[in-house]
Amino acid sequence: MKKHTQDIYFTGYVTVLIKGDRPELFFNQLVQEKVLVWDIVKQDHQTCEAKIRKQDISKLRMKRRRTGYKVQFRSKHGFPFLFTSILRKKPLLLGILISILSIFLLSNTVWKIDIKGVSPELEHQIETQLDEYGVRLGAFKLTLGAPVDIQQRLLQDIPELLWIGVQEKGTTYALEGVPKTIVKEKEQPGPRHLVAKKKGVIVDMFVSEGAPQVGVHDYVEPGDVLVSGLIGKDPPAATDEEEAEKPEDTRKQVAATGNVIARTWYNVSVSVPLNETYTVLSGNQKTKYAAQFGEKFRVPFWGFGDSGYQDAQEQTSTRYLRFLRWKLPLGVTKTTEYERVSKQVKRTKEEAKAQAVKLANQDLQLQIGKESDIISQKILHETVENGKVKLILYFQVNEDIATSQPLSQGD
């Protein structure tokens, strides 16, 4: 009997009292009609008590009408009766629902924002930006962007940040940033020369330490000493008789420091197509929301239908609900489609040529650095092949060609 009643609590059962002549016969008749009866106890010759399933109550009542026995329900057990009892107690049920809803809302509300690794000024700037994004104390987390989206927006809007991590820990947003301006102690350089790193003609010099070895208008090759790290008079040349005793070198060794600006030259090759097609975002977008159940199952509830975009870039983020410290398998998925359109550019030969010159200037400036100046440019060769304008340009540049070289033992 235990095997048949081990899950009876979930379906419900009742304790009944049967009164009449030989009441045990009444239970035997129920058993013959395949009604499950257990824990039969005979209290006296006219009274018997037993338990039956909730689903068999209707059969018991029909049988009682045909036999004349009296039936009394003593007690009810199981989840169905408990649930019915709770539904009848509306104030209690309302209190339970309000409590669960309150815990749910509190578990999905931002109660703390912790920012580490940055100065107070930068921390205030981050707090201001977060407030603009809606990330503030008391905000409902489902209305906010995903942590990775907040991180990207902060890096775009605050140039002083090199990196920032955003983590959602329960009701806390934890941020840890790394500022771009990190002050490092300058290492004191050892004795050194300044030598040329490329060939050129000297146009200007500024030496704060060391002995200049070249002058303006001098032509230098890579490796030539521009500023010596040895200060003082050279030791006199030894005679044949003094060869055995070499004169002592009294020159002082220093770290040569300065800037040596030279005129240098570059040849740059560049090509630009006459007809070009590229893809850009049009600015149109459509956002859809769906209820997320588990990892894969979604039910859309806002933004139905196709966007109608021929080409689109899609971005999806899912925010799961929380109850206290547990993440629930229920959330909201936001999907945004950004329309992409193709742009076709048709250039004349002169327009392509002008674009090629512009690109060559930009590429060279990136190569030589913003401290260097492009003095002049000249087109050496120009061709049109395979629908592209190809140019070879000659540039003259003023740039600092000095680089340090430690003093060797032979200096």
Side-chain angles (χ1 to χ4, degrees):
M1 188 64 66
K2 184 178 180 181
K3 179 179 179 181
H4 297 285
T5 60
Q6 59 185 358
D7 60 347
I8 205 71
Y9 180 82
F10 297 100
T11 57
Y13 64 96
V14 296
T15 301
V16 295
L17 196 66
I18 304 298
K19 292 183 179 182
D21 186 32
R22 302 180 68 185
E24 65 275 6
L25 295 178
F26 179 78
F27 288 118
N28 287 335
Q29 294 175 12
L30 289 177
V31 172
Q32 291 176 4
E33 294 188 12
K34 297 182 180 180
V35 174
L36 182 61
V37 181
W38 72 97
D39 290 350
I40 302 174
V41 178
K42 187 173 183 180
Q43 297 182 350
D44 54 47
H45 66 281
Q46 284 193 334
T47 307
C48 244
E49 184 183 81
K51 294 180 176 65
I52 67 170
R53 297 177 298 182
K54 177 180 178 292
Q55 64 196 61
D56 293 330
I57 292 177
S58 59
K59 294 181 180 179
L60 181 144
R61 286 174 172 166
M62 292 177 60
K63 190 68 178 175
R64 185 199 65 80
R65 294 192 190 102
R66 296 196 299 265
T67 60
Y69 284 95
K70 294 182 179 181
V71 177
Q72 180 181 353
F73 293 94
R74 300 293 299 273
S75 58
K76 301 175 181 179
H77 311 273
F79 180 76
F81 296 109
L82 177 63
F83 184 71
T84 303
S85 176
I86 292 175
L87 289 179
R88 289 174 181 170
K89 300 176 181 178
K90 293 183 179 179
L92 176 61
L93 180 62
L94 183 61
I96 293 174
L97 291 176
I98 292 175
S99 299
I100 294 176
L101 181 61
S102 298
I103 294 174
F104 171 77
L105 291 175
L106 294 174
S107 301
N108 291 275
T109 301
V110 179
W111 291 114
K112 185 179 180 182
I113 299 175
D114 189 18
I115 304 174
K116 297 180 179 178
V118 296
S119 64
E121 295 80 8
L122 191 54
E123 180 179 348
H124 176 71
Q125 193 173 352
I126 294 173
E127 290 175 346
T128 302
Q129 289 295 329
L130 290 176
D131 188 70
E132 291 184 6
Y133 306 156
V135 183
R136 59 178 70 95
L137 298 184
F140 193 54
K141 293 194 294 184
L142 284 183
T143 63
L144 308 178
V148 64
D149 297 330
I150 297 174
Q151 175 180 327
Q152 292 176 353
R153 294 182 68 181
L154 285 172
L155 291 175
Q156 290 176 356
D157 296 338
I158 304 179
E160 293 82 359
L161 281 175
L162 177 64
W163 175 87
I164 188 166
V166 180
Q167 286 186 318
E168 183 183 338
K169 299 179 179 179
T171 59
T172 300
Y173 272 83
L175 296 87
E176 185 170 359
V178 178
K180 286 184 179 179
T181 54
I182 301 177
V183 179
K184 295 183 178 179
E185 293 185 1
K186 293 184 178 180
E187 297 181 359
Q188 295 296 329
R192 65 183 185 181
H193 295 311
L194 290 182
V195 300
K197 59 185 176 182
K198 58 182 66 175
K199 62 183 179 180
V201 175
I202 308 299
V203 295
D204 196 8
M205 295 182 66
F206 173 76
V207 179
S208 56
E209 191 74 35
Q213 302 297 302
V214 294
V216 175
H217 305 308
D218 287 348
Y219 173 79
V220 295
E221 293 280 352
D224 289 350
V225 177
L226 305 175
V227 181
S228 175
L230 297 174
I231 299 178
K233 294 183 178 180
D234 293 338
T239 61
D240 294 339
E241 293 80 5
E242 297 173 338
E243 190 67 32
E245 295 183 2
K246 211 169 187 181
E248 183 180 355
D249 191 349
T250 58
R251 292 179 297 176
K252 180 182 177 182
Q253 295 185 349
V254 297
T257 306
N259 301 100
V260 181
I261 309 301
R263 180 71 50 82
T264 56
W265 311 275
Y266 293 87
N267 286 345
V268 178
S269 299
V270 65
S271 63
V272 171
L274 294 171
N275 299 315
E276 185 176 8
T277 302
Y278 57 94
T279 302
V280 295
L281 297 178
S282 68
N284 297 326
Q285 65 184 59
K286 182 175 182 179
T287 302
K288 301 178 181 179
Y289 293 91
Q292 182 79 32
F293 300 93
E295 296 292 334
K296 297 181 179 179
F297 187 65
R298 295 177 185 173
V299 178
F301 64 85
W302 185 265
F304 300 96
D306 188 10
S307 63
Y309 301 149
Q310 294 183 353
D311 186 19
Q313 177 179 320
E314 188 174 277
Q315 184 177 3
T316 301
S317 62
T318 301
R319 302 297 307 276
Y320 286 95
L321 301 176
R322 302 187 72 89
F323 188 81
L324 296 177
R325 62 185 181 88
W326 297 283
K327 185 175 79 170
L328 303 179
L330 174 65
V332 176
T333 296
K334 176 183 177 182
T335 302
T336 304
E337 291 185 58
Y338 301 93
E339 184 184 25
R340 294 190 300 194
V341 294
S342 296
K343 295 288 185 179
Q344 291 186 345
V345 177
K346 294 184 178 181
R347 303 183 179 94
T348 65
K349 179 181 176 181
E350 292 302 318
E351 290 174 339
K353 181 178 175 181
Q355 182 67 15
V357 172
K358 180 180 178 181
L359 291 175
N361 274 269
Q362 292 175 350
D363 292 343
L364 180 59
Q365 195 70 62
L366 288 174
Q367 179 182 343
I368 62 179
K370 61 182 180 180
E371 298 84 4
S372 303
D373 297 321
I374 297 176
I375 303 304
S376 64
Q377 63 185 32
K378 182 179 180 181
I379 298 177
L380 297 180
H381 188 64
E382 175 184 343
T383 58
V384 179
E385 297 179 2
N386 301 323
K388 294 182 179 180
V389 173
K390 298 182 179 180
L391 302 180
I392 298 178
L393 296 99
Y394 169 80
F395 289 93
Q396 293 191 42
V397 175
N398 282 354
E399 61 179 313
D400 189 355
I401 64 169
T403 186
S404 61
Q405 182 185 80
L407 294 183
S408 62
Q409 294 295 329
D411 290 327

